[in-house]
Structure formats: structure tokens, C-alpha cells
Amino acid sequence: MARVLLFGRFADLAGWREKTIEVATLGDLRALLSSDPLLAEALAGPSVQIAVDKVLVRGDVALTALSEVAFLPPMSGG
Amino acid sequence: MSATLQTAPFDPGQLLTAFSAGREETGAIASFTGLARAERGQTTALELEAYEGFTDVEIARIVNAAIQRFGLQDAMVVHRVGAIAPGEAIVFVACAAAHRRAAFEACDHLMDWLKSRAPFWKKEHGPDGARWIEPTDRDRTDAARWDRENEQ
């Protein structure tokens, strides 16, 4: 279970910005989100970053009910 | 040091006056104000999205790095988020130093970093709809300039 946040065009593509999703790992979450082909393509793009509890992560990590996972599209700067 | 994200419009003049007050040991304050452009009517509004608790932390880190690098006495950043109309200020940066060169350069550096490394997502709304903006090559080369200077 995790609180999942989508930013920028990811939220537009998915049609939601925030959702609680029942998953045990980040890999499972990515697989679940990738059932939407447009979102899958966007999430697989270059310069996409993922933050778990506001810290950027690489690879797979375990998630708890308190985890906050944010999918960050390429940043456009201020 | 202060780094603020806010949805409400701000008055750059008021911010500069407040930042400049009571500084007996400061010789120079340089400031920069960035405004939203209408792009000849192609942009009716800018929408800036931030990640609370992430974007503000990163901006504070960027400001602290500039204070260290240029030996500043103080620095401040105010950045708008949400919907911003053409002509409104988006970002205000001010740097206080003993002498002018550090203050000028720190402002320039801070803006290059904010433009290229601050975690924002920007959407332009225009007559033909809305589109998400990604950093330009120019933004990247402006920021890379400081990396090169660092190596020399």
C-alpha cells in the first residue's frame, strides 16, 4: 500500500494526481501503472525520476502503507 | 536565508525593501525579478506545479550552495506556484554581499540553477490549448557554464 502522486503530464495522462494503491514494492507499482499504455510509455521515458518519501530512488524498493511515491516527469525549471 | 514557494502574487519592490533593511555591513544587494511573458498572445497563463516538501527543500539547498560559493551574507528566493498571468512576477532573487561582484554573480548563478535544476513542472496555456514545457538547451548550457568554471 502506498500513497502515489503523479506530477506534470503524468497526472494529465492518468486522469488523477493522487491515489492510494495496494502494492508491496515499487516494481509492482510500476507494473500496475503500466497497464495504461500511454502512462507506461511516459513513465519509461528518459529523465523520469521517482521519489519515495521525498528521496529520489533507483531500482526497486519495498513500500509500506505509509510510503509516499512520487512520479516526476522531466523538470521544467522555474 | 529564505526560500519561499507561494501561490499569491508578490510585489518585488516590497521584497527588495524588506531584504535591504538594517544591513550596516552589506555593501551590495543585487536582485532579479522574472516575469511571465505573454509570448505575443500565445500564452494566456502559466501554471507552475511544485512538490511540497521536495521542491522547497531543493530550492533551499540551491540557495545555501550559492551563499557558500559566493561568500554571501544573505540570500532570498520567492517563487510563485499555481496559475500566473502574463506580466506578473514569477520569481524574485536577492543576494547580499560585502561587494558588488559576488552579489551580481550569485544572482545570475541562482537563476541558472533555478531554471535548470529546481523541481517544477510548467504548463503554458494559450489560445490553442495547454502544453507542458521541458528545459531548453539554452537553460542547460547556461547552467553548465558554472560547472565548467568550477573545474577551472
Side-chain angles (χ1 to χ4, degrees), chain B residues 4-152:
Chain B
T4 309
L5 291 178
Q6 64 178 58
T7 50
F10 60 79
D11 178 341
Q14 278 180 4
L15 294 179
L16 184 58
T17 299
F19 184 76
S20 306
R23 293 190 182 274
E24 296 189 354
E25 299 300 329
T26 294
I29 291 174
S31 74
F32 173 85
T33 305
L35 306 181
R37 284 188 307 261
E39 304 284 9
R40 298 178 182 184
Q42 291 309 296
T43 303
T44 52
L46 264 185
E47 190 183 332
L48 216 60
E49 192 179 13
Y51 181 9
E52 202 185 335
F54 182 83
T55 305
D56 42 335
V57 168
E58 183 59 18
I59 290 177
R61 204 186 61 74
I62 289 170
V63 176
N64 279 320
I67 289 172
Q68 291 296 316
R69 179 171 181 156
F70 296 94
L72 300 179
Q73 295 169 338
D74 197 4
M76 92 180 275
V77 171
V78 176
H79 212 299
R80 289 277 302 276
V81 292
I84 302 150
E88 287 185 353
I90 300 181
V91 60
F92 174 83
V93 169
C95 297
H99 302 285
R100 72 180 183 280
R101 187 72 57 210
F104 277 131
E105 289 188 350
C107 272
D108 193 13
H109 170 277
L110 265 174
M111 281 311 305
D112 282 345
W113 250 248
L114 288 171
K115 290 294 287 182
S116 61
R117 299 185 183 188
F120 287 109
W121 298 276
K122 195 170 3 185
K123 200 179 200 179
E124 272 182 8
H125 294 265
D128 303 324
R131 65 185 188 104
W132 290 98
I133 308 295
E134 295 194 358
T136 64
D137 288 342
R138 180 60 198 267
D139 291 337
R140 289 198 193 88
T141 49
D142 280 351
R145 200 158 55 100
W146 300 97
D147 294 334
R148 283 195 302 276
E149 282 184 14
N150 223 3
E151 287 159 11
Q152 283 165 8

Side-chain angles (χ1 to χ4, degrees), chain A:
Chain A
M1 194 116 122
R3 193 164 148 248
V4 182
L5 308 176
L6 300 182
F7 285 88
R9 61 193 172 87
F10 294 165
D12 285 0
L13 282 170
W16 53 272
R17 311 194 81 77
E18 183 176 338
K19 215 181 227 187
T20 300
I21 298 179
E22 196 131 352
V23 280
T25 68
L26 183 56
D28 291 350
L29 175 59
R30 290 188 68 115
L32 198 72
L33 294 179
S34 296
S35 61
D36 174 340
L38 280 180
L39 190 56
E41 192 187 338
L43 293 179
S47 310
V48 173
Q49 294 183 300
I50 299 171
V52 175
D53 296 328
K54 299 189 168 78
V55 177
L56 295 176
V57 297
R58 285 169 185 274
D60 202 5
V61 297
L63 302 175
T64 72
L66 297 174
S67 299
E68 179 181 281
V69 184
F71 290 87
L72 311 173
M75 295 160 181
S76 49

